[in-house]
Amino acid sequence: MRVKNFNWPTGIFIISYHVLLLSALPFYFYYATVHLSTVIASLILFFLTGLSITAGYHRYFAHSTYKTNKWVEAVLLFFGSATIQASAIRWAFEHRLHHAHVDTEEDPYSIKKGFWYAHILWLFESPRPIENKLVADLLRKPLVAFQHKYYEVCMIGSNLILFLLVGWLCSDYLGAFVLSLWLRIFCLHHFTWFINSLAHTWGARTFSTEQTAVDNYFISFVTFGEGYHNYHHTFANDYRNGIRWYHFDPTKWLIWTLEKFGLAYNLRREIGRAHV
């Protein structure tokens, strides 16, 4: 697949950090002392930032599957900025295009253009200009509009705060830099991209056979519950992806828990009221 109109800033960033991280990791694990506290802190940050994408960018901002207050919104935006996956408005715009034009030429990360295109190569193309009418609801949210306008500041600031916090708490700034910053970002990027690639390739078309999205229980383990992708594409406005009690969907559990504490409301369900 030939990439058109190469996006130099994004392409250089992604290629550079992959090369540098994968080259440095063997030396880090061989020469440095790996602190258990840093590993635990990095895993906590991995879950917090990962859930900010699935519960925040995806199910809240892109699909409006539930409502919440400005304080929860601010937390989702802070940790979402730390994933380096663009602003919530940019992310939601491209995802809404994906749902509207899935498997067609207009799909920003169409699996029809190849596995690797859907996984990562689409990011190397110059992004489409945002159509305000497709994200008008988000532009009306002051915090979301602020994050979009000052995304670079939010992205750098959130990661700097988290890096310094882990380094200070664990007395391990090298480990915080390698594990809680760059290895976390590497894993989050690829696990998110799996939803565009693997979740359109490997699994069952349980609810709809008309498009490529599939349900796969195993994919849900590395995507915070997003592996039930055929259900999601069929019923995109449901706050759940896994609708059965035994489905692994920590994003659903988080949103349900927020509701129980009065921090989320109007949770949308498109198939009955199956157990969370």
Side-chain angles (χ1 to χ4, degrees):
M1 177 66 204
R2 184 173 64 89
V3 175
K4 300 175 292 184
N5 304 317
F6 192 80
N7 184 346
W8 287 101
T10 298
I12 291 172
F13 171 75
I14 291 176
I15 293 170
S16 297
Y17 98 75
H18 275 69
V19 171
L20 292 173
L21 177 66
L22 296 177
S23 299
L25 275 178
F27 294 96
Y28 170 75
F29 285 119
Y30 186 80
Y31 290 107
T33 300
V34 179
H35 297 262
L36 178 60
S37 59
T38 306
V39 173
I40 293 173
S42 299
L43 287 173
I44 292 172
L45 278 186
F46 169 74
F47 275 95
L48 289 174
T49 49
L51 288 170
S52 74
I53 292 296
T54 56
Y57 276 30
H58 187 205
R59 302 192 200 184
Y60 178 62
F61 295 118
H63 290 292
S64 302
T65 66
Y66 66 98
K67 297 183 183 297
T68 188
N69 59 47
K70 63 181 180 180
W71 303 106
V72 174
E73 199 173 88
V75 171
L76 292 172
L77 288 169
F78 174 81
F79 286 107
S81 297
T83 65
I84 315 184
Q85 292 191 30
S87 70
I89 287 177
R90 163 61 66 181
W91 201 102
F93 168 69
E94 291 169 341
H95 191 71
R96 289 175 181 181
L97 281 178
H98 170 62
H99 273 267
H101 305 288
V102 64
D103 298 334
T104 71
E105 186 64 29
E106 294 301 308
D107 182 348
Y109 29 86
S110 175
I111 194 67
K112 296 294 186 177
K113 297 180 182 179
F115 180 92
W116 289 109
Y117 181 88
H119 187 76
I120 189 173
L121 293 180
W122 71 277
L123 291 163
F124 295 164
E125 292 188 348
S126 296
R128 307 181 192 191
I130 292 176
E131 300 172 37
N132 289 348
K133 64 181 180 180
L134 291 185
V135 288
D137 57 319
L138 299 179
L139 289 169
R140 289 192 293 268
K141 294 178 179 289
L143 290 175
V144 182
F146 176 89
Q147 188 229 22
H148 180 68
K149 183 176 181 179
Y150 301 105
Y151 170 69
E152 289 78 10
V153 174
C154 294
M155 180 265 290
I156 295 172
S158 59
N159 278 297
L160 182 61
I161 290 170
L162 294 175
F163 155 64
L164 293 174
L165 180 63
V166 172
W168 175 68
L169 289 175
C170 302
S171 298
D172 180 19
Y173 288 95
L174 176 60
F177 185 74
V178 175
L179 301 180
S180 69
L181 183 58
W182 291 111
L183 185 58
R184 170 183 61 83
I185 289 169
F186 174 87
C187 292
L188 282 174
H189 278 177
H190 284 280
F191 290 170
T192 301
W193 300 339
F194 279 157
I195 300 165
N196 304 332
S197 54
L198 274 180
H200 280 269
T201 304
W202 174 40
R205 298 180 186 179
T206 312
F207 297 91
S208 171
T209 59
E210 298 175 352
Q211 33 83 17
T212 59
V214 295
D215 289 334
N216 190 300
Y217 191 85
F218 296 102
I219 294 175
S220 68
F221 281 104
V222 296
T223 59
F224 304 95
E226 303 283 75
Y228 311 99
H229 206 50
N230 187 264
Y231 177 82
H232 173 62
H233 267 273
T234 309
F235 304 102
N237 295 321
D238 198 319
Y239 85 95
R240 309 160 300 175
N241 272 196
I243 60 172
R244 307 302 178 193
W245 68 266
Y246 52 84
H247 286 165
F248 183 79
D249 189 353
T251 303
K252 168 188 69 177
W253 301 332
L254 172 63
I255 297 168
W256 180 84
T257 302
L258 289 174
E259 181 191 38
K260 298 308 174 186
F261 282 93
L263 298 174
Y265 56 100
N266 289 0
L267 275 59
R268 300 171 69 178
R269 300 170 176 83
E270 296 199 22
I271 290 187
R273 297 182 64 85
H275 295 302
V276 299

